Amino acid sequence: MKLIRLFDEFLSDTVNLNQTRFDDLESSINAVQKFISNSEWQPKILSYKPQGSWAHKTIIKPLVDYPFDADLLVYVDPINDWEAKDYLDSLYSKFRSSATYSEKVRRYSHCITIEYAKERKIDIAPCVKERLTPNTYEVCNRNTNAFEQSNPKQYTDWFIEQNRLSQKNNLRKITRLLKYLRDIKTRFTCPSFLFTTLLGKQVRATDIDNTSFSDLPSALITLVGRLDDWLQATPNKPDIRNPVLHSEIQSNSWDETKYQNFRTQIHRYRTWIDEAYAEADQDDSIEKWRKVFGEDFAKSEVKKKASKISVVACESFAALGRNIKDLVEGVILLGIKALPSNFTNLPHMHRPHWRDGPGGTFTINIHAHISSTRLGHNLSRTTSLSPLPPGKWIKFSAFTSNATPFPTDYKIVWRITNTDAAAAAAGALRGEFNDSSEHGTRWEQLTYRGVHIVEAFLIKKTDDRLYGKSEPFFVVIT
């Protein structure tokens, strides 16, 4: 299913860089340009131009504690007796002697970088115009002390044209989506400039009138399908060249192993995207798109569904001639038969990200005890589906089939999932994984009326693999 509205929300709320960060970036870049212009840096400055994701408008929101970056080119006239490293070293010295930038500036092979406390980075690269021949531009490699031919403006113009052909900014949006997928899943590596080229090359001149690009999900399945077809027909690492500068082989950033992994992973994601797109049931399609893009896709929709779990259950009870006000009452009267068929696979439940460990799995049993206070000593045993009053604390413990704790070279991770209207109204539906409070145990407070789910996952510390999962323990809060 296309789910166009949910894709728009996902881009706006999760993937795209928010306006405040854009404004801060623009302010910082204006300040940097002003500083360079007033610094008496020796080369004659011709202009400043954005490069890379900033110029292509494909910057995405960074992961937590990671900065986003923007590339700024400084076009300059050549200085006759300067080597490549002189342009970078002299610019670095100007920033290093500044009280404003001295602690923020770093120096790399092709640029100097201004870092703003894990929030953003600005990479500043001198680009020398017509040093030896007319109509040529060169960036400076400090490590090799060499000038390297470049044509960033023509590359940006090429990308803008490919984006126009893709209709409705689809190429830009898909580039952002797949960069997000790369960063959030970390299953493959592909530098942004190479990824941009690979995706841009899948757009054809005829796509301007192609109905497969009439909306974002259709364009996504088309471009990823074309990319996968090309990769599967290319068994060994190819020379992927800059489309406007044939001498630049962008795929040199990969070795054969990285290419093979990229080829494998794109094929896997292509299969999942095809399945999500073809799925006719909305709830199942949402679950399959979340398999592709993670737990933040359709977040508002899945929370809405979790908040109305009792409404759906009561409709089922009414069809059977039973007047039951909510799922809690249904479970008290009917037991586990009252739970909807998909209750242990709700969309807002985070999916396990661990790989299975070798040699089979262990049985995990959850024991639960009630206390008036957290870490209390007067504990009373309770069982799954037993009605419990709010306000108390519950201690969950994971045991082997022999009722013994697991060895300390394993850890227990808990998935705590709340449901129904009270938890939703408090923004506390959860569904994520939580560490143990102490080895093999976790304390939780009984707070929101509803039927909630606790599960234990056994992870070996040495290989971070999954060696077992408990049956769901249902916590019924009255």
Side-chain angles (χ1 to χ4, degrees), residues 194 197-198 201 230-231 234-243 245-254 256 259:
L194 175 57
T197 295
L198 283 168
K201 284 186 172 184
W230 180 80
L231 290 168
T234 312
N236 300 311
K237 183 175 82 76
D239 287 344
I240 301 169
R241 297 180 182 271
N242 185 324
L245 186 62
H246 193 70
S247 61
E248 181 186 352
I249 303 175
Q250 295 180 325
S251 54
N252 282 346
S253 58
W254 272 334
E256 188 66 34
Y259 172 73

Side-chain angles (χ1 to χ4, degrees), residues 44 59 98 149 202 214 257 327 362 365 396 420 476:
K44 180 184 176 182
I59 293 180
S98 162
Q149 190 174 350
Q202 308 313 313
S214 59
T257 300
L327 190 58
F362 295 93
N365 296 319
F396 300 102
D420 231 321
V476 182

Side-chain angles (χ1 to χ4, degrees), residues 364-421:
I364 306 173
N365 296 319
I366 295 179
H367 296 184
H369 294 80
I370 299 296
S371 173
S372 297
T373 59
R374 188 177 187 276
L375 305 179
H377 297 291
N378 296 320
L379 303 177
S380 58
R381 181 79 179 268
T382 188
T383 57
S384 180
L385 294 169
S386 297
L388 301 170
K392 292 185 179 294
W393 288 83
I394 185 168
K395 179 185 180 182
F396 300 102
S397 304
F399 290 100
T400 68
S401 56
N402 295 323
T404 58
F406 285 93
T408 55
D409 54 339
Y410 291 88
K411 65 179 180 179
I412 297 292
V413 178
W414 304 85
R415 182 165 63 182
I416 312 295
T417 305
N418 292 338
T419 71
D420 231 321

Side-chain angles (χ1 to χ4, degrees), residues 123-363:
D123 296 332
I124 308 164
C127 187
V128 183
K129 179 183 178 182
E130 300 176 345
R131 184 178 62 92
L132 297 177
T133 56
N135 300 316
T136 59
Y137 296 86
E138 296 168 307
V139 292
C140 307
N141 186 331
R142 180 176 177 271
N143 291 351
T144 62
N145 196 24
F147 294 96
E148 298 174 353
Q149 190 174 350
S150 182
N151 209 333
K153 183 181 183 304
Q154 280 194 14
Y155 185 88
T156 296
D157 291 343
W158 170 81
F159 182 81
I160 290 171
E161 174 60 12
Q162 297 303 99
N163 182 62
R164 184 188 71 82
L165 293 172
S166 74
Q167 305 180 43
K168 302 178 181 179
N169 281 323
N170 280 324
L171 178 56
R172 277 198 180 113
K173 294 173 184 176
I174 290 166
T175 302
R176 292 181 203 147
L177 284 171
L178 295 182
K179 285 168 65 175
Y180 174 86
L181 176 73
R182 173 197 64 189
D183 293 352
I184 203 75
K185 293 294 187 71
T186 67
R187 295 297 188 186
F188 61 85
T189 58
C190 185
S192 292
F193 65 85
L194 175 57
F195 217 167
T196 301
T197 295
L198 283 168
L199 292 170
K201 284 186 172 184
Q202 308 313 313
V203 178
R204 303 164 184 166
T206 55
D207 288 336
I208 189 66
D209 298 314
N210 189 342
T211 56
S212 294
F213 287 80
S214 59
D215 57 71
L216 178 57
S218 297
L220 174 66
I221 195 174
T222 301
L223 283 192
V224 173
R226 290 177 183 175
L227 176 60
D228 180 53
D229 288 344
W230 180 80
L231 290 168
Q232 297 314 305
T234 312
N236 300 311
K237 183 175 82 76
D239 287 344
I240 301 169
R241 297 180 182 271
N242 185 324
V244 301
L245 186 62
H246 193 70
S247 61
E248 181 186 352
I249 303 175
Q250 295 180 325
S251 54
N252 282 346
S253 58
W254 272 334
D255 58 21
E256 188 66 34
T257 300
K258 289 179 180 178
Y259 172 73
Q260 293 300 334
N261 180 63
F262 180 79
R263 183 171 178 264
T264 299
Q265 296 300 329
I266 292 297
H267 186 66
R268 174 179 292 119
Y269 285 121
R270 188 257 184 99
T271 302
W272 293 351
I273 288 169
D274 287 350
E275 291 172 352
Y277 187 90
E279 177 57 60
D281 180 84
Q282 178 168 312
D283 289 342
D284 290 343
S285 182
I286 287 174
E287 183 176 345
K288 289 176 179 179
W289 281 119
R290 284 164 68 86
K291 183 179 180 181
V292 177
F293 289 111
E295 313 296 342
D296 283 333
F297 183 86
K299 185 164 52 176
S300 62
E301 198 72 19
V302 301
K303 287 183 177 179
K304 186 190 303 181
K305 180 176 181 180
S307 71
K308 295 181 177 180
I309 197 80
S310 277
V311 174
V312 175
C314 288
E315 290 173 353
S316 299
F317 298 148
L320 297 174
R322 292 179 176 272
N323 184 21
I324 297 175
K325 72 176 185 179
D326 66 5
L327 190 58
V328 169
E329 187 174 305
V331 167
I332 292 173
L333 291 174
L334 303 174
I336 198 170
K337 292 186 295 183
L339 298 179
S341 59
N342 67 336
F343 189 72
T344 58
N345 192 33
L346 295 171
H348 71 291
M349 298 170 75
H350 289 204
R351 283 4 183 199
H353 59 271
W354 305 277
R355 296 178 182 177
D356 290 337
T361 60
F362 295 93
T363 299

Side-chain angles (χ1 to χ4, degrees), residues 90-102:
S90 60
L91 186 58
Y92 174 77
S93 295
K94 293 296 183 184
F95 280 95
R96 194 73 181 88
S97 62
S98 162
T100 302
Y101 295 109
S102 61

